[in-house]
Amino acid sequence: MGRSRLIFMSSAIILASGFVATSHDARASFLGDALLLTANAQSSSFSEMLVPVSQEAAKGFIEDMSNTGLAFLSDASLSKDAKSAKFNALLTRYFDLNAISKFTVGRYWRDMTPAQQNEYQSLFKDMLVRSYSKRFSEYQGQTLDVTGQKPLSDTETLVESVIKDPNGGAPVTVNWRVRDKGGQMKVIDVIVAGVSMSVTQRSDFSSVIQRGGGDVAVLLDHLRK
């Protein structure tokens, strides 16, 4: 069982994460508001170039992601900007951000022009980095235990983990859906305490667009702020 000291960067990107909120309500609020790096495994974005994935390899992939995050988050010599740059690189390495961003905007992806699609994907990643970087200082000794893994299909593995809080907070179950796409593993969904983060973010973006009368430009303006 792998064990890594992690930081609470967001409610579900537990690549370097621990729950620092002291109450259930505070955790639930942040889960609903944070930008979450997830995507539904049934999205057509993941249907290309899929290959069988090793369960043990998927488990090691999540452990490596955690250790990679810890290496820079625990380095007191790094500035906030330097840590943000390393976090940006980590997102690119471990998450399928293109597919995730497409899923979270849902059917409105097809309503965007190519220029809007490109801008949206860029803004999506920028927002993630900006939002999570604000959380770098909140680490309080939480740990992540990778407790097991099980196959979901020939190409997908669910890696199971638990966030433990040494300050007395309740443990939180975090499951990672990992797929091998074109010979490279990527996280495509994160389920925190039974809640799929992709569905939460998709709902949030849909609400923004609907409040703007169904105009996708409203979401782009929202992400630019």
Side-chain angles (χ1 to χ4, degrees):
M1 179 171 64
R3 188 178 183 87
S4 302
R5 290 168 62 85
L6 307 168
I7 182 174
F8 183 39
M9 301 204 293
S10 75
S11 52
I13 184 169
I14 318 291
L15 41 99
S17 158
F19 275 70
V20 296
T22 56
S23 71
H24 174 78
D25 289 344
R27 287 198 300 268
S29 176
F30 191 65
L31 284 171
D33 294 338
L35 294 173
L36 305 169
L37 298 179
T38 57
N40 191 308
Q42 294 179 350
S43 170
S44 60
S45 300
F46 296 108
S47 64
E48 301 175 356
M49 299 178 64
L50 298 179
V51 298
V53 59
S54 162
Q55 293 179 54
E56 285 297 326
K59 177 182 175 183
F61 175 75
I62 295 301
E63 292 175 332
D64 181 65
M65 179 180 63
S66 297
N67 292 332
T68 299
L70 176 63
F72 68 81
L73 291 169
S74 61
D75 189 344
S77 70
L78 294 176
S79 67
K80 180 179 178 180
D81 286 345
K83 289 183 178 181
S84 293
K86 289 183 177 292
F87 178 55
N88 191 323
L90 186 148
L91 294 180
T92 301
R93 165 66 183 88
Y94 292 97
F95 289 81
D96 192 339
L97 293 179
N98 286 340
I100 289 167
S101 62
K102 289 179 184 179
F103 178 81
T104 54
V105 80
R107 66 182 179 85
Y108 297 104
W109 175 260
R110 296 188 297 273
D111 295 337
M112 293 181 179
T113 66
Q116 287 177 320
Q117 291 173 347
N118 289 335
E119 183 183 10
Y120 165 69
Q121 291 190 316
S122 177
L123 289 170
F124 182 82
K125 185 176 183 181
D126 288 347
M127 182 177 61
L128 293 174
V129 174
R130 183 174 62 251
S131 298
Y132 300 156
S133 294
K134 296 177 182 178
R135 301 277 171 173
F136 286 169
S137 64
E138 297 183 10
Y139 175 66
Q140 295 182 355
Q142 289 80 0
T143 60
L144 173 72
D145 287 355
V146 176
T147 57
Q149 69 284 335
K150 61 184 179 182
L152 296 179
S153 69
D154 289 342
T155 60
E156 185 177 330
T157 294
L158 188 73
V159 179
E160 301 165 329
S161 66
V162 177
I163 296 293
K164 296 182 179 180
D165 186 353
N167 304 303
V172 179
T173 300
V174 181
N175 293 334
W176 308 77
R177 299 179 78 164
V178 178
R179 263 194 172 179
D180 192 321
K181 184 178 180 181
Q184 186 175 30
M185 281 183 290
K186 296 284 187 180
V187 173
I188 63 168
D189 198 7
V190 186
I191 300 105
V192 179
V195 178
S196 171
M197 297 294 96
S198 60
V199 175
T200 300
Q201 190 57 65
R202 184 166 176 159
S203 176
D204 288 347
F205 280 178
S206 178
S207 294
V208 170
I209 295 171
Q210 289 174 13
R211 287 197 300 270
D215 186 354
V216 296
V218 174
L219 176 62
L220 295 177
D221 185 60
H222 173 76
L223 294 176
R224 293 187 193 107
K225 297 177 180 178

